[in-house]
Amino acid sequence: MDRRRIKRLGKGFIAILALAIVSCKETPKPTAVEELAIVEPVDVYEFGFKLNDYIVKRDTIRRGDSFGEILEKNSIGYPKIFQIAEKAKDSFDIRKLQVGRPYTLLCSKDSLKAPKCFIYQPNVEEYVVINFQDSIHAYTNRKPIKYVEKEFSGVINSSISETVDAQGVNFAMVYKISDIYAWTIDFFRLQKGDRFKVIYTDKYIDDTIYAGISEIKAAYFEHKNEPFYAFEFETDTVKAKYDYFNEEGKTMRRAFLKAPVKYKRISSRYNLRRRIAYYGNKIRPHKGTDFAADVGTPIMATANGTVIESQRKGGNGNYVKIKHNSTYSTQYLHMSKRKVKVGDYVKQGDVIGWVGMTGNTAGPHVCYRFWKNGEQVDPFKQKLPASEPISENLKDKYFDHIRPLKERLDRIYFKETQEVQDVQVEENNNLITQAN
């Protein structure tokens, strides 16, 4: 190879070497590899157990299921099942498993997956633990409960049920309000424009599971433009007895009068096996109580309510029937004359008619009949709501208790449903059109 060719090759090699050196200098340094974050498993606790330590099986009691069958299906033999049942029977009767209620099995985290603990939930708050992973023992416990205080108000357009439902409030609100005012307001006779507001508490289990309305602490109901306050108050701390009273400390519950008239005697009592000589000594049930009194003696409503019948009919003669609430109704027979008509609202002690002898009767009296849940019963054998006032030594405490609640109630504005608002808008638009 001649000297000139060698020289050219040398220069080329030097150029390639130089280019390689420059390329190496321009090549960025490799970045450090990012370390992957290690996410630790979150510890999950329920029923007092760390669920991460078990294989958790959840199911519900099905028709035909028994405690023994559930464990047997999960590879526990009957000798062991009998032993568990015997040890647990003093704390829980395994025969009382109800169809549809949930249960949980905590099983070992190995190839056997053997059950170690059976947990049954008879309701949303309570749970029964039958633990047999070491020694066998059973106990009942409650899930943690949180109470959240809330406010609610509404204006009646057609019914209280629709008003409550339109705002997405638990329907139990209807029953709770009607129970508080059962002896003051006839909820079958509410009027459009009646309105109410309440301070109440909702109950949550494990902070997230809604368990319904716990209690109504204070309420205001305006019926026929008449205001009715109601405040919950503990009257007996030993027995944990609560009741509702108005702003004056008077009970919201009204006892029935013992009798509808100032009577001379009770001539005949409620008797389902009464024999009457006039009918050949045959059994003719008497589902009323007869109060003998002179003709013209005033007959009084024994409790607040609405007149649902007022007429003369057959053996009843002139009579009046009053509906007091969803549970109780009363009827007054053989009047000489009626004073009230259907739809009238009467208060306890109001005169509704006068004693007479109309219909089938051998003498002047009023036959007083008493209905409970649609059936005629003996009023003297019913455990009726008491009308006990707040004791004198609790009055100061009661008024201190209700003062902030009443101030808070008075500040709550009435929230109307969208339907009522739409009607008002339409009425306003009609007025503007007429004015133009």
Side-chain angles (χ1 to χ4, degrees), residues 281-347:
N281 208 33
K282 293 182 179 179
I283 293 177
R284 290 292 180 94
H286 184 237
K287 296 183 178 181
T289 303
D290 292 346
F291 294 92
D294 293 335
V295 172
T297 302
I299 299 173
M300 299 172 290
T302 55
N304 294 2
T306 300
V307 177
I308 57 173
E309 293 179 39
S310 178
Q311 60 179 315
R312 180 164 183 159
K313 184 178 180 181
N316 290 346
N318 279 317
Y319 76 92
V320 168
K321 189 172 184 180
I322 300 172
K323 187 176 185 65
H324 302 287
N325 56 30
S326 59
T327 303
Y328 298 108
S329 298
T330 55
Q331 188 179 20
Y332 313 77
L333 279 58
H334 311 310
M335 295 179 172
S336 61
K337 186 178 179 182
R338 292 169 278 119
K339 187 182 179 182
V340 294
K341 60 183 183 298
V342 173
D344 286 351
Y345 181 77
V346 295
K347 294 185 178 180

Side-chain angles (χ1 to χ4, degrees), residues 58-308:
R58 300 182 189 270
D59 206 338
T60 57
I61 304 297
R62 305 176 192 278
R63 191 172 300 279
D65 277 353
S66 68
F67 177 74
E69 288 174 339
I70 291 171
L71 294 189
E72 194 272 335
K73 289 176 184 177
N74 286 274
S75 304
I76 293 185
Y78 272 99
K80 178 70 172 178
I81 293 171
F82 178 78
Q83 185 184 9
I84 294 170
E86 281 295 300
K87 289 280 187 179
K89 68 181 182 181
D90 292 337
S91 301
F92 179 70
D93 188 348
I94 60 172
R95 296 171 298 178
K96 292 185 177 180
L97 300 180
Q98 297 179 359
V99 173
R101 300 309 308 168
Y103 70 86
T104 303
L105 279 173
L106 302 183
C107 305
S108 61
K109 294 183 77 172
D110 54 27
S111 58
L112 295 177
K113 300 179 182 179
K116 298 294 182 182
C117 187
F118 176 85
I119 302 165
Y120 170 68
Q121 295 175 256
N123 53 60
V124 293
E125 294 182 23
E126 293 182 311
Y127 59 92
V128 178
V129 175
I130 302 178
N131 193 335
F132 41 88
Q133 54 188 330
D134 294 319
S135 60
I136 301 171
H137 60 285
Y139 57 90
T140 300
N141 212 336
R142 285 180 173 272
K143 290 189 172 185
I145 298 174
K146 181 174 72 174
Y147 297 93
V148 180
E149 194 169 276
K150 297 181 179 180
E151 298 174 353
F152 173 60
S153 69
V155 178
I156 306 296
N157 184 42
S158 57
S159 71
I160 187 172
S161 302
E162 290 186 9
T163 303
V164 169
D165 184 63
Q167 296 192 41
V169 175
N170 190 311
F171 194 79
M173 177 68 74
V174 176
Y175 297 114
K176 288 186 176 291
I177 293 176
S178 59
D179 183 58
I180 292 171
Y181 291 103
W183 306 100
T184 311
I185 299 170
D186 183 356
F187 277 76
F188 291 94
R189 299 283 179 175
L190 293 180
Q191 297 182 345
K192 183 177 180 180
D194 285 353
R195 51 190 190 170
F196 62 91
K197 43 191 174 181
V198 295
I199 299 171
Y200 70 102
T201 54
D202 267 342
K203 182 164 60 175
Y204 293 86
I205 298 172
D206 281 341
D207 288 336
T208 56
I209 303 172
Y210 179 63
I213 297 172
S214 172
E215 61 177 337
I216 292 180
K217 291 187 171 183
Y220 171 92
F221 208 107
E222 194 174 299
H223 176 54
K224 297 181 179 179
N225 296 318
E226 186 176 355
F228 298 95
Y229 285 94
F231 302 94
E232 185 187 46
F233 184 69
E234 186 176 24
T235 56
D236 191 330
T237 55
V238 176
K239 297 180 180 179
K241 183 180 178 182
Y242 289 82
D243 210 338
Y244 287 90
F245 303 86
N246 66 11
E247 72 275 25
E248 297 174 351
K250 295 180 181 178
T251 179
M252 299 298 295
R253 300 186 185 277
R254 303 285 187 266
F256 283 85
L257 296 176
K258 292 291 185 182
V261 293
K262 293 181 179 179
Y263 61 95
K264 293 180 177 179
R265 61 188 175 87
I266 295 177
S267 55
S268 181
R269 290 186 177 272
Y270 181 95
N271 184 358
L272 297 181
R273 299 191 61 79
R274 184 179 68 164
R275 293 183 182 275
I276 303 177
Y278 181 82
Y279 295 107
N281 208 33
K282 293 182 179 179
I283 293 177
R284 290 292 180 94
H286 184 237
K287 296 183 178 181
T289 303
D290 292 346
F291 294 92
D294 293 335
V295 172
T297 302
I299 299 173
M300 299 172 290
T302 55
N304 294 2
T306 300
V307 177
I308 57 173

Side-chain angles (χ1 to χ4, degrees), residues 386-412:
S387 180
E388 299 176 359
I390 294 176
S391 59
E392 288 296 324
N393 63 322
L394 286 176
K395 280 190 174 180
D396 288 341
K397 182 179 179 182
Y398 173 74
F399 290 123
D400 288 341
H401 169 73
I402 72 168
R403 189 174 298 110
L405 288 172
K406 185 176 183 300
E407 291 175 355
R408 185 174 166 189
L409 269 178
D410 291 341
R411 289 195 299 267
I412 300 173

